[in-house]
Amino acid sequence: MTWDILNILAVSAFAFSGAIVALNERYDIFGTFILGIATPFAGGIIRNIALDIPVVHVWEQGYLLYVALGTIAIVYFFPKSWVMTWDRWNIYPDAVGLSAFALQGASFAISNDFPLGGIIFAAILTGVGGGVTRDVLAQRRPMVLHQEIYAVWAMMAGLLIGLGFIDVGSAWQTYMLFIVVILCRVFSYHLGWHLRFRDLYRL
């Protein structure tokens, strides 16, 4: 039940984010749905390819595909004057998707008996893969390449899970880490945390 809820939150958040970006880039309805679908599902595809795992199960999303399509449709048919103002708030659904998919990626790696490095790698790829795909398709500079801390929070989730500090079999621990990663991402954005070492020398 825990992962069902997290998957719904992740898919709807990233589908929302992808659709908002598409509409702000003046995509038509086809382009909006393509970008909205690619954002929540690309991370899993990239992860499986990188870890040499068949991607068949990624296409068997069932109700999650309908969650994504429904979210995209709602965004697309909202008044465009509303949608255009939502892009500035896209950090929030993006943070939700990043957190949920990072946890899902780490859990996936554990279930496939990957070592610590594989767990961290899976968390990063699953967490940031969708956002990178969205930004590349929209011809934007990917968030993961900005000075803002982005992929680090996915790596942190993978590390905590891989080292056993967080038990993904425990609902309350999983939700706690989910919320912590969201807060870390949002705070790092609003407080201007970054990884540019040349700026650290000025402090």
Side-chain angles (χ1 to χ4, degrees), residues 24-105:
N24 274 275
E25 296 297 329
R26 308 296 181 179
Y27 282 30
D28 61 14
I29 186 171
F30 180 77
T32 301
F33 272 86
I34 290 296
L35 195 59
I37 291 174
T39 306
F41 299 125
I45 296 173
I46 295 171
R47 175 201 64 212
N48 284 22
I49 293 174
L51 297 179
D52 195 26
I53 296 175
V55 299
V56 174
H57 82 280
V58 177
W59 305 116
E60 299 172 349
Q61 297 297 330
Y63 70 93
L64 292 177
L65 178 61
Y66 298 113
V67 169
L69 292 174
T71 303
I72 298 165
I74 290 172
V75 173
Y76 187 83
F77 291 108
F78 260 127
K80 296 300 181 287
S81 59
W82 295 6
V83 172
M84 297 309 172
T85 63
W86 288 349
D87 192 41
R88 72 184 68 176
W89 308 108
N90 215 5
I91 173 65
Y92 299 107
D94 186 81
V96 172
L98 169 70
S99 180
F101 276 126
L103 268 65
Q104 194 269 348

Side-chain angles (χ1 to χ4, degrees), residues 139-161:
Q139 298 183 349
R140 295 184 173 188
R141 183 173 56 167
M143 285 186 180
V144 71
L145 302 180
H146 286 198
Q147 73 253 27
E148 300 160 14
I149 301 176
Y150 188 76
V152 170
W153 304 126
M155 180 178 69
M156 178 190 73
L159 181 64
L160 291 174
I161 293 173

